[in-house]
Amino acid sequence: MDPRESFTIAARSIRSHKLRSALTVIGVVIGIASVVAFATFGASVESEIVGSISDSGANNVYVLGQPADEEGFEQALQPVFTEYDIARLSEIPGVEAVIPRGSIPANSVTHRGETVSIQGATATTPAAVTNETLVAGRSFRSGADETVLNRAAAETTFEGNVTVGDEITVRRTDETWNLTVVGVVNGTAGELPVGNFGPQPQFYVPADPYYQAVVESPGANARQRAYPQLTVVAVPAETLAVTERVETYLREESDARHLAPSGVDLVARTSGDFAEQISDVIQQITRFVTGIAVIALVVGAIGIANIMLVSVTERTREIGIMKAVGARNRDVMELFLLEATLLGAVGAVLGLPLGLAVGWAATRYAEVGFAFAPYWSALAVLVGVLVGVVAGLYPAWRAARVDPIDALRYE
Amino acid sequence: MGQADADDVVTLTDVRKTYDLGGTVQALGGVSLSLPRGSYTAVMGPSGSGKSTLLNLVGGLDTPSEGRVTVGGRDLSTATEAERAAIRGSRVGFVFQTFNLMPRLTAVENVAMPLVFDGWDRSRRRERARELLSEVGLGNRLDHKPTELSGGQRQRVAIARALAPDPELILADEPTGNVDTETGERIMGLLGDLHADGHTILLVTHERRIAERAERIVHVRDGVVERTEELID
Ligand SMILES: Nc1ncnc2c1ncn2[C@@H]1O[C@H](COP(=O)(O)OP(=O)(O)OP(=O)(O)O)[C@@H](O)[C@H]1O
Ligand SMILES: [Mg+2]
């Protein structure tokens, strides 16, 4: 039949039960909005994190132990990369520097009589502090009682700012270090890209003499410092090749392959790899949460099906009349299906902006940039329409099968 | 009676209709009848004798349990659902005792509805509906909903609707049953005019006075034709 007339009739029947239709549409709106909101928020977080990873050291190759399964997480943090490994890695063609990193547990730091508790200090080599990262001062020297602070530590940890030349005291369980602040940095070279969000106060100290994790190096046949993580800084153009060479070394010649506990894989990752891994994880979470939101959508669909069944029953007589004046089963089917689809479509069209607004508010709250997810938004509208169609199928089929004789007798 | 004539709009051949409700209820028990083109036939009989059943079978609203119903030469028992719908929509106009108008549609929209399913375009539908409503004297009630009309006015809308696709056959089931005598007269006058215009009319009534407007009266009792009375006028 004339599509415009079908539309008019369907729209009129929706309008004639305003409250009922509105409540049904709200069900779909909530479903679509939650799907869109979660998907948008997920996409925003993903692009924020991936963006900030890609910004940092594209030519860094991060060498670390990775647990083969969840259990091995603690073991993966064990110091397995020895100074022998560092020396060998530095010789690989295309490698500019190898920066080790290890953490030293500490209890507190005192500056001008003010003491704050800390998790620990980070041990690394002077090469970690480069001209690009320095805000003030210079890098520490190996073997000296010197420290470099990041801006969070220098500016927000103590009442007064810590400036170059100040003395700080680090207390550990069994010893106390008096250190001279020689530099303030904004991040360090070779820092793992995942640590960049919401900068924590960091106190960098020279591994020599403060880092004391020592193991027996099979390669050097001597006791040496060993670190849980290294960053190989590659010549930019050779980052990929270097990554492969580093992996080969780790697999075939390194001390670490002997020292790593079973269940830990030694890997070399670029920041691109990290970005990929993290976006995989976020996408999985987003899919899962969005999947839960889909339940709301299913409830919305049930609402449509329910109201359409009521409508078919109420309008049995009208269906009979339409059939008596020439409506075919498929005309009746079409009308009811269109009505259900309209409910779904209106829900989708209203739910989309609401979902985007909620998603946007969530990104403001979480302080990440808003990323529109066009794929999800288009899908949401499509799904809304589809929800209407699917929810309307059975009621419409029931309507089409109404026997005109029974219907006209129906009071 | 019964044998197909090229000029019969409707023929029924030994038509039976039974309803199965645990036991079987026989509504029609072998009815043969033909309606020549342009004829005016009244069906009379006591309540429950099968008059409405007969009318619904002729109009393709219902299907016989046995026997053949042809409308305009087309055998309804072999017609598909869509074909029967098309016959209902274009060759037959129904007028019911209870009017059966769409409550949410205006008079014009009600009258235009058969034309929607018959594939007319919008402006022609409206034009035709206005024309017909004026003909039945409702030119000033075009945009009223059924609830805003009196019983007689509603029945006139229903007649206009039955006429919309210009059907050859008008089926009226107690069209005066729900209106007062005066309005009933007016309705019967309209049917008389339609007959004069050449429409074939099948009218169901239990009032002798109404039935006498027709050319012949088919008396039905317990689902069978008791006798056919030709009226000379
Ligand atoms: N859907 C149905 N199911 C069962 N029995 C039915 C059905 N429709 C009609 N009947 C039966 O068929 C018989 C004829 O019914 P019908 O409606 O044709 O009578 P009628 O002559 O039109 O009566 P009235 O003058 O009261 O309108 C009745 O006995 C009725 O009970
Ligand atoms: Mg009856």
Side-chain angles (χ1 to χ4, degrees):
Chain A
M1 67 188 272
D2 179 358
R4 187 169 150 198
E5 195 66 22
S6 310
F7 187 86
T8 312
I9 296 176
R12 183 176 344 228
S13 122
I14 289 173
R15 274 205 312 271
S16 70
H17 293 110
K18 284 199 184 63
L19 181 62
R20 190 162 100 183
S21 305
L23 291 175
T24 309
V25 165
I26 285 174
V28 181
V29 167
I30 291 174
I32 299 278
S34 15
V35 170
V36 171
F38 284 125
T40 305
F41 184 61
S44 302
V45 171
E46 185 189 334
S47 78
E48 174 88 10
I49 291 180
V50 169
S52 68
I53 287 175
S54 318
D55 286 350
S56 66
N59 58 331
N60 286 350
V61 180
Y62 305 95
V63 176
L64 63 158
Q66 215 171 43
D69 54 56
E70 260 102 275
E71 312 277 295
F73 196 73
E74 279 295 315
Q75 292 180 319
L77 298 175
Q78 288 196 12
V80 295
F81 303 104
T82 61
E83 286 176 326
Y84 171 80
D85 283 339
I86 297 174
R88 291 287 308 275
L89 285 168
S90 307
E91 289 161 12
I92 289 178
V95 171
E96 281 187 342
V98 179
I99 302 167
R101 196 171 298 266
S103 64
I104 304 170
N107 301 332
S108 67
V109 181
T110 306
H111 171 247
R112 290 197 184 141
E114 190 188 350
T115 301
V116 298
S117 65
I118 56 167
Q119 298 286 319
T122 303
T124 182
T125 53
V129 178
T130 61
N131 284 339
E132 291 92 73
T133 59
L134 269 173
V135 176
R138 58 169 174 83
S139 184
F140 51 67
R141 289 163 305 181
S142 272
D145 295 333
E146 294 174 344
T147 182
V148 169
L149 275 53
N150 73 349
R151 292 182 69 171
E155 292 166 11
T156 62
T157 304
F158 300 97
E159 287 288 326
N161 277 4
V162 181
T163 52
V164 172
D166 285 3
E167 295 286 330
I168 61 168
T169 307
V170 175
R171 279 195 185 75
R172 306 187 64 215
T173 320
D174 49 2
E175 56 188 335
T176 302
W177 306 332
N178 290 312
L179 304 170
T180 308
V181 177
V182 295
V184 176
V185 291
N186 195 7
T188 51
E191 211 160 75
L192 273 176
V194 282
N196 284 356
F197 322 107
Q200 297 295 311
Q202 295 281 359
F203 299 85
Y204 301 99
V205 296
D208 170 25
Y210 294 108
Y211 188 68
Q212 284 139 6
V214 172
V215 299
E216 182 70 33
S217 156
N221 253 325
R223 289 184 66 75
Q224 290 188 334
R225 287 196 174 82
Y227 301 86
Q229 194 257 314
L230 306 177
T231 301
V232 174
V233 181
V235 175
E238 289 187 50
T239 309
L240 278 181
V242 166
T243 308
E244 269 169 35
R245 285 174 210 143
V246 168
E247 275 188 323
T248 309
Y249 170 77
L250 290 174
R251 202 169 48 238
E252 291 169 6
E253 295 168 54
S254 68
D255 279 353
R257 86 200 140 112
H258 297 298
L259 297 171
S262 66
V264 172
D265 298 331
L266 302 175
V267 296
R269 295 256 181 278
T270 60
S271 50
D273 292 338
F274 272 107
E276 218 166 90
Q277 250 179 6
I278 288 178
S279 67
D280 272 1
V281 171
I282 295 175
Q283 274 175 18
Q284 269 180 32
I285 295 173
T286 304
R287 260 184 235 132
F288 179 73
V289 176
T290 307
I292 292 175
V294 165
I295 293 173
L297 203 53
V298 170
V299 174
I302 293 172
I304 294 187
N306 185 31
I307 225 63
M308 288 309 297
L309 282 174
V310 170
S311 177
V312 170
T313 309
E314 278 178 354
R315 282 152 64 196
T316 299
R317 197 181 174 85
E318 285 181 38
I319 296 168
I321 297 170
M322 288 196 290
K323 285 193 166 182
V325 301
R328 290 165 303 171
N329 289 356
R330 48 166 292 205
D331 295 322
V332 176
M333 176 110 189
E334 229 173 80
L335 276 179
F336 280 84
L337 210 51
L338 183 64
E339 190 175 328
T341 308
L342 276 179
L343 288 174
V346 170
V349 165
L350 296 179
L352 176 62
L354 181 66
L356 289 176
V358 171
W360 179 83
T363 59
R364 288 302 88 162
Y365 180 75
E367 292 178 358
V368 297
F370 176 79
F372 180 55
Y375 165 78
W376 277 96
S377 303
L379 198 70
V381 173
L382 198 73
V383 164
V385 172
L386 218 66
V387 155
V389 172
V390 170
L393 270 177
Y394 176 66
W397 179 77
R398 283 265 297 258
R401 278 183 17 124
V402 162
D403 179 357
I405 297 291
D406 289 343
L408 291 174
R409 216 195 299 275
Y410 186 92
E411 295 303 331
Chain B
M1 227 173 27
Q3 64 267 59
D5 185 313
D7 221 32
D8 288 341
V9 176
V10 174
T11 58
L12 282 78
T13 317
D14 199 23
V15 168
R16 291 164 197 274
K17 180 74 190 180
T18 51
Y19 291 100
D20 212 354
L21 304 166
T24 48
V25 179
Q26 187 169 59
L28 286 180
V31 170
S32 295
L33 181 71
S34 53
L35 306 182
R37 190 172 307 282
S39 63
Y40 191 166
T41 307
V43 179
M44 272 193 79
S47 185
S49 55
K51 305 184 296 293
S52 297
T53 306
L54 178 69
L55 200 83
N56 292 336
L57 286 170
V58 170
L61 271 178
D62 209 347
T63 44
S65 308
E66 276 175 60
R68 258 159 52 100
V69 178
T70 63
V71 174
R74 184 80 179 82
D75 185 350
L76 292 190
S77 57
T78 61
T80 64
E81 180 274 332
E83 285 167 343
R84 280 194 288 126
I87 289 170
R88 289 198 294 269
S90 59
R91 315 196 80 149
V92 180
F94 274 101
V95 181
F96 301 93
Q97 177 174 354
T98 50
F99 321 134
N100 282 334
L101 297 175
M102 297 287 271
R104 278 193 292 268
L105 303 189
T106 64
V108 169
E109 289 166 335
N110 263 290
V111 174
M113 199 168 58
L115 307 178
V116 172
F117 302 117
D118 203 25
W120 294 41
D121 71 48
R122 194 181 177 83
S123 56
R124 278 185 62 225
R125 289 199 302 259
R126 302 207 134 241
E127 193 183 321
R128 170 95 177 136
R130 280 201 203 94
E131 226 173 78
L132 287 165
L133 282 167
S134 308
E135 271 176 42
V136 298
L138 290 175
N140 54 349
R141 294 284 186 277
L142 297 178
D143 295 318
H144 285 54
K145 299 238 171 94
T147 46
E148 299 157 0
L149 296 169
S150 73
Q153 287 170 334
R154 288 184 213 182
Q155 195 58 302
R156 279 184 278 155
V157 174
I159 289 175
R161 180 181 64 187
L163 294 174
D166 196 19
E168 46 202 330
L169 181 61
I170 304 285
L171 303 176
D173 194 350
E174 313 247 18
T176 59
N178 273 355
V179 295
D180 63 36
T181 323
E182 198 180 321
T183 314
E185 279 304 310
R186 181 143 194 203
I187 303 286
M188 290 316 292
L190 274 171
L191 287 179
D193 294 347
L194 291 176
H195 177 229
D197 284 351
H199 286 93
T200 308
I201 296 177
L202 183 61
L203 166 75
V204 166
T205 181
H206 56 264
E207 284 182 73
R208 173 87 204 169
R209 191 176 50 79
I210 300 286
E212 277 172 353
R213 302 292 197 92
E215 295 171 330
R216 61 172 179 165
I217 303 177
V218 175
H219 293 272
V220 180
R221 181 175 291 271
D222 294 337
V224 293
V225 177
E226 205 178 32
R227 66 193 168 91
T228 304
E229 182 185 349
E230 299 290 339
L231 298 172
I232 338 109
D233 182 60

